[in-house]
Amino acid sequence: MTKKQIVDIQNAILSWYEMYGRHELPWRKTTDIYKIAISEIMLQQTNVPKVIEKFKAFIARFPTVEMLAAAEQKDVIMMWQGLGYNRRAMYVHKMAQNIVDDYKGIFPRDSRALMTLYGIGPYTSRSILIFACNADSATWDVNIVRIMRRVYGDANISDARVEELCRTFLPKGKSRDWHNALMDFASLICTKRAPQCTACPLKKWCLSYPQPKDVVMVKKKEVGRRENGKHIPRRIYRGRIVEFLRYNAAGTVDEIGRAIKKDYCAKNDGGWCQDVLLKLEKEGILTCKHDKWML
Ligand code: SF4
């Protein structure tokens, strides 16, 4: 693509975002790096509509990194209810303690330093700096990768090439708006299953127009267990355990097993349930005292 085409595409996406973007999302109304970090970790594995109210409630309960650091882990896990992947509740709590203990409560403005914190990998660290500081760096997730591959009409472009393209397309000084725009564009126009090609502001340049031929991804079956004839992923059981312990002070393996699995049988499922509990204990989410499990 020529330099002019790249600039035209940047302008087309930014203009579209100005008109149709989701500017009202609560984490887009702040540049407070603590709040941005919380929103990014929440958004890692939970979709936007679910995160909105949870984010507002979490920030109302823990408005500063100091207040989050001083909270009981159990309270943080309680506030994570409904977001799933409860390990992240523990991560944000430890991240806050890290920031208070090692950085005097001030988040580092450096990607590598951010990555030493709990729950923050390369994508999240770049996103935090982009949305909090408008840092001139590019980031990409599956959605942004999909846009790049479609615009270039090649579903097999290598990851390295996609990264290079993301850097090339970044309009300097507009990183925050650019990435917000790409994310909205991916979820409203260039969607995974039903791209709106005829209404797309990029159709003039997109080599996939009018119909992208994406590689069909075969979804791998998640590790799980049969329940009443159905396969239930282990992550669902993990969520059910934490949910049970949010409202029950403690439980034995069998009490928890009966609460999380409709056809629980101590003889057949007891060992499996114990393994799931031990894994949660190893991750620091649960503790066990006198054969009773608790948050
Ligand atoms: S024309 Fe279709 S495939 Fe190309 S960017 Fe737009 S929505 Fe995506």
Side-chain angles (χ1 to χ4, degrees):
M1 255 183 218
T2 65
K3 219 171 173 180
K4 179 175 180 321
Q5 285 172 321
I6 289 173
V7 172
D8 287 345
I9 287 176
Q10 288 169 338
N11 290 337
I13 291 192
L14 287 169
S15 305
W16 174 87
Y17 174 65
E18 212 178 309
M19 283 183 75
Y20 304 107
R22 297 174 294 183
H23 304 280
E24 73 293 346
L25 293 175
W27 48 89
R28 290 195 182 165
K29 292 180 175 168
T30 181
T31 54
D32 179 332
I33 195 164
Y34 161 66
K35 293 173 186 165
I36 297 287
I38 296 295
S39 70
E40 282 303 318
I41 294 174
M42 285 184 172
L43 289 163
Q44 279 171 358
Q45 283 143 320
T46 311
N47 59 36
V48 168
K50 259 193 193 168
V51 170
I52 295 173
E53 292 309 316
K54 296 290 165 190
F55 171 79
K56 287 186 195 166
F58 192 93
I59 293 299
R61 176 79 172 74
F62 308 115
T64 64
V65 69
E66 288 81 6
M67 290 177 85
L68 178 57
E72 292 288 330
Q73 180 173 293
K74 186 176 175 171
D75 292 339
V76 182
I77 293 176
M78 289 294 279
M79 289 305 294
W80 206 262
Q81 186 190 21
L83 288 165
Y85 294 97
N86 290 289
R87 197 184 315 174
R88 292 177 297 163
M90 190 188 74
Y91 287 164
V92 293
H93 189 221
K94 286 195 183 302
M95 172 195 76
Q97 290 174 333
N98 228 200
I99 292 291
V100 169
D101 294 345
D102 302 338
Y103 294 93
K104 299 186 176 138
I106 298 166
F107 276 76
R109 265 61 173 174
D110 170 74
S111 186
R112 262 182 291 180
L114 283 172
M115 276 198 286
T116 64
L117 302 170
Y118 272 89
I120 299 183
Y123 172 79
T124 305
S125 69
R126 287 193 298 265
S127 299
I128 290 171
L129 294 176
I130 287 166
F131 297 123
C133 313
N134 199 27
D136 264 331
S137 66
T139 196
W140 49 88
D141 62 1
V142 284
N143 298 310
I144 294 177
V145 169
R146 181 177 66 245
I147 297 172
M148 290 297 168
R149 288 187 169 148
R150 284 179 176 172
V151 168
Y152 275 81
D154 182 354
N156 296 311
I157 290 182
S158 70
D159 290 350
R161 175 71 179 135
V162 169
E163 288 178 27
E164 193 188 316
L165 290 173
C166 288
R167 292 198 181 94
T168 306
F169 273 86
L170 176 71
K172 297 280 176 284
K174 294 180 182 168
S175 181
R176 182 185 292 125
D177 278 352
W178 175 247
H179 287 92
N180 280 332
L182 285 179
M183 281 163 196
D184 287 0
F185 185 75
S187 70
L188 301 172
I189 297 286
C190 196
T191 63
K192 186 177 171 190
R193 290 194 182 86
Q196 309 292 305
C197 294
T198 41
C200 177
L202 300 192
K203 63 183 176 192
K204 191 170 148 193
W205 304 280
C206 178
L207 296 179
S208 294
Y209 181 79
Q211 181 65 55
K213 298 180 193 68
D214 289 354
V215 175
V216 179
M217 306 292 277
V218 180
K219 217 177 165 189
K220 258 174 58 186
K221 197 171 176 183
E222 284 184 72
V223 177
R225 201 155 179 91
R226 303 290 293 174
E227 179 180 317
N228 287 343
K230 272 193 194 156
H231 177 83
I232 307 289
R234 186 170 53 197
R235 70 184 160 80
I236 300 289
Y237 287 115
R238 287 167 54 97
R240 288 179 187 172
I241 290 171
V242 174
E243 191 64 8
F244 173 78
L245 292 173
R246 277 192 180 105
Y247 298 103
N248 296 276
T252 63
V253 172
D254 288 338
E255 283 165 353
I256 293 172
R258 280 193 291 275
I260 63 163
K261 191 170 187 291
K262 288 185 192 118
D263 58 359
Y264 181 80
C265 157
K267 191 170 157 231
N268 297 335
D269 299 316
W272 159 80
C273 187
Q274 172 113 15
D275 285 349
V276 181
L277 290 165
L278 284 168
K279 183 94 199 319
L280 287 166
E281 183 188 35
K282 203 168 163 198
E283 290 167 14
I285 297 173
L286 302 187
T287 54
C288 182
K289 279 183 202 142
H290 312 301
D291 293 333
K292 290 269 191 181
W293 294 86
M294 61 202 80
L295 288 177

